Amino acid sequence: MHLAAAALVLSAVLAPPVHTSGPLTVYDIALAPVGSEATVLSWATPGGGTFVLLHTEGLLPNRAYGAHAHTKPCGLNPADSGPHFQHVPGGATDPVYANPDNEIWLDFTTNAKGSGLAVAQVDWTFTDRRAASVVVHAEHTHTGAGHAGTAGARLACLSVPF
C-alpha cells in the first residue's frame, strides 16, 4: 500500500511522523478481509497537539468503520489491545471522557475500491503514557451517554509505536 508522496510530510512545519504500515491483524475476515492493510501516521504539532492519519486498503467497499487508538499492542485476541487510549482517563462510555477531544477517533467510510482515510487532531501530546495500537471497529463511533466511544466489534488491529 502506498500513500501518495504526501505521507503528509508537511514536516517542514511538523515534527517527523511516526509511520507504521503493513498487514492488519484481522479478527473478522467477513468485514476486514485477509490482506487488508493500514497505514498510520502520527506527529506532534507545533502548538502542543497531536495529528493522526489512518489510511486503509482492502476493506469492504462503501462501508462505515470506526477506529480508535488503544492502550496496548495488538494480539491474537481482539481484546488484547486493551481499551481506548484516553488522555484524561475516565469512564469508558461516559461522554465526558469518551469523546474525540480526549481520545483519538478515526472513523471513516471506504470508497468503491475499499480504501478509507481518516484524520484526528487533538490538542494534547503523548507523554509517558502512550497508545500502542489502532483498532478498526464494525461501525462509526457512538456519542450518547452510556454508549459514547463504542463502535461495535473489533475487526482488525495495527500495532503503532505512538
Side-chain angles (χ1 to χ4, degrees), residues 6-17 43-44 46:
L8 285 164
V9 179
L10 309 158
S11 27
V13 180
L14 306 171
W43 60 89

Side-chain angles (χ1 to χ4, degrees), residues 13-159:
V13 180
L14 306 171
V18 169
H19 177 175
T20 300
S21 179
L24 292 167
T25 301
V26 174
Y27 305 118
D28 183 334
I29 60 172
L31 298 177
V34 174
S36 299
E37 294 186 11
T39 299
V40 172
L41 298 167
S42 176
W43 60 89
T45 62
T50 300
F51 187 89
V52 181
L53 179 141
L54 169 66
H55 179 255
T56 62
E57 288 191 17
L59 297 175
L60 297 183
N62 303 311
R63 187 179 192 294
Y65 290 91
H68 311 102
H70 282 248
T71 60
K72 298 179 182 176
C74 307
L76 293 177
N77 298 305
D80 290 347
S81 58
H84 293 182
F85 179 88
Q86 294 183 330
H87 177 62
V88 176
T93 58
D94 179 347
V96 171
Y97 300 97
N99 64 65
D101 295 323
N102 194 44
E103 299 182 350
I104 295 174
W105 290 8
L106 296 157
D107 291 1
F108 61 96
T109 300
T110 56
N111 65 16
K113 294 182 180 182
S115 296
L117 182 67
V119 296
Q121 186 169 0
V122 293
D123 65 0
W124 46 267
T125 58
F126 292 106
T127 58
D128 56 331
R129 285 187 330 101
R130 296 180 168 275
S133 62
V134 170
V135 173
V136 176
H137 292 268
E139 53 197 49
H140 278 173
T141 309
H142 300 277
T143 58
H147 302 284
T150 63
R154 297 177 189 205
L155 306 178
C157 184
L158 179 67
S159 292

